[in-house]
Amino acid sequence: MHRENYEPSDFGHRYLSHVVWFAMAREYRRVTTHDPDQLPLLRDISALQDTTIREKKFCNIHREDDRVSRGLFASHKCFMDSLGLPKQALSLSQNSFNDLFYRVLLGRFLKDANVLDKLGSVSLSNSSSLRATLEQIQQSPNGRVYTSAYVINPQYSNYGATLEDVIFEWLPAVVANAHLHSKSSGQKLSIEQAVKELNSCFPQAIRQWFFQKAERKHTIKGTEYTFQLDRLGENVVSAGKPSKPLSSFTLSFIFCQAIMDLAELTEGVIDKQSVPLTGPGSKLALDWLTKLKVDDSPIAARKKESYASQLCQLHHKLTVDEGSPVRWPDEYLKPLSLICLEHTLCEWRRWINIRLLEGHSITYRQHPK
């Protein structure tokens, strides 16, 4: 490995070499602390020690190595084995597939495999009892329940709903109506296609929720509001609050996380190599890499160009472009997927922001040649 491959360069974004260095330093921390038998070449590069990474909490470079992901995957696989569910998703019945995907979604909302296991058998048909079980867990002495670390649309309150309504009433209807299983029978769905299909089912799910009870009451900042559908059934209206179109509610990023989990657990429905949605952190990272200079603020303004396209271009530069002065070091790290790159950019943006805010200069110790 040549040191010049990791020095800051000007090939369109001066900080790309920082991304690679951070990835190696974060993996060095994981390997030396938790998995010393993996990546032996990386384990011996003591120059990769980083105080910020050691003292702060960062996700791992590959999302499947994260503590939460490892716990959830183990729980889901145990669930699949207990029911004899095959990895080939197209061999599952529509109901079995929907139940599995709903469980995967619950995992990303709860973010704790132990709580997920305590819920017992998860299916679309018993979502109401799951809600009651979760309330009992929360009320127990050791009933610590995590909430999702991912972006959850906070606008559900403007529809007269609580987060529990979203998880246990809206989501079962969305999963049942999306028909991801049947729509992938001819060709695998991309992550983006699956997210769009799920989001498109929210109007029907919310409408169905209101049909069960015409008026919904919800307290927001100490004031109780009454919510109901308009006469056309296209908007939620409430005195004192602007109407909300049913089609404006989405859960894109958390859907993306669950779909990527599904792609890890099963085969045949989701294209694991497709482009993931970019989260807020990775968008800021892409803004910084493509537009800002070294001395500019680490928090960049968003732009309208396609982040998916930028992510693909960046992945090509790191893995395919032989003329690129900065390449992903396959000899030291596991291969770089688009999912891994999105995950890494989000954590790198946090790391470099902390370093600059603390007044550290971004420097490199020499790597072995």
Side-chain angles (χ1 to χ4, degrees), residues 109 131 147-148 152-153 156-157 161-169 218 251:
F109 273 96
R131 181 174 186 165
T147 54
S148 175
I152 300 175
N153 190 331
Y156 50 79
S157 61
T162 65
L163 182 56
E164 288 75 18
D165 292 328
V166 175
I167 296 173
F168 296 107
E169 298 195 47
H218 188 62
L251 286 176

Side-chain angles (χ1 to χ4, degrees), residues 308-355:
S309 175
Q310 291 181 12
L311 192 69
C312 290
Q313 292 173 19
L314 195 55
H315 185 266
H316 183 272
K317 284 286 187 183
L318 287 171
T319 62
V320 178
D321 186 359
E322 295 183 357
S324 172
V326 181
R327 298 290 300 276
W328 186 257
D330 283 338
E331 69 272 31
Y332 290 91
L333 301 175
K334 291 184 288 186
L336 179 69
S337 66
L338 284 164
I339 291 175
C340 169
L341 179 57
E342 193 280 333
H343 197 59
T344 298
L345 287 176
C346 182
E347 296 304 299
W348 168 77
R349 200 276 309 174
R350 288 181 56 234
W351 172 77
I352 203 168
N353 195 40
I354 291 171
R355 293 296 294 269

Side-chain angles (χ1 to χ4, degrees), residues 113-182:
N114 292 327
V115 174
L116 187 61
D117 290 338
K118 288 178 182 178
L119 290 179
S121 178
V122 173
S123 68
L124 298 186
S125 61
N126 72 343
S127 58
S128 296
S129 63
L130 292 174
R131 181 174 186 165
T133 303
L134 183 63
E135 289 175 355
Q136 292 176 357
I137 294 172
Q138 289 175 310
Q139 293 170 3
S140 64
N142 297 316
R144 182 182 181 187
V145 176
Y146 292 90
T147 54
S148 175
Y150 301 108
V151 177
I152 300 175
N153 190 331
Q155 297 300 315
Y156 50 79
S157 61
N158 290 325
Y159 294 80
T162 65
L163 182 56
E164 288 75 18
D165 292 328
V166 175
I167 296 173
F168 296 107
E169 298 195 47
W170 294 8
L171 287 184
V174 167
V175 172
N177 294 330
H179 301 298
L180 298 184
H181 184 271
S182 59

Side-chain angles (χ1 to χ4, degrees), residues 72 76 102-112 116:
L72 291 176
H76 295 321
Y102 182 50
R103 191 181 199 276
V104 170
L105 267 173
L106 274 181
R108 283 300 165 184
F109 273 96
L110 300 176
K111 212 182 68 149
D112 190 314
L116 187 61

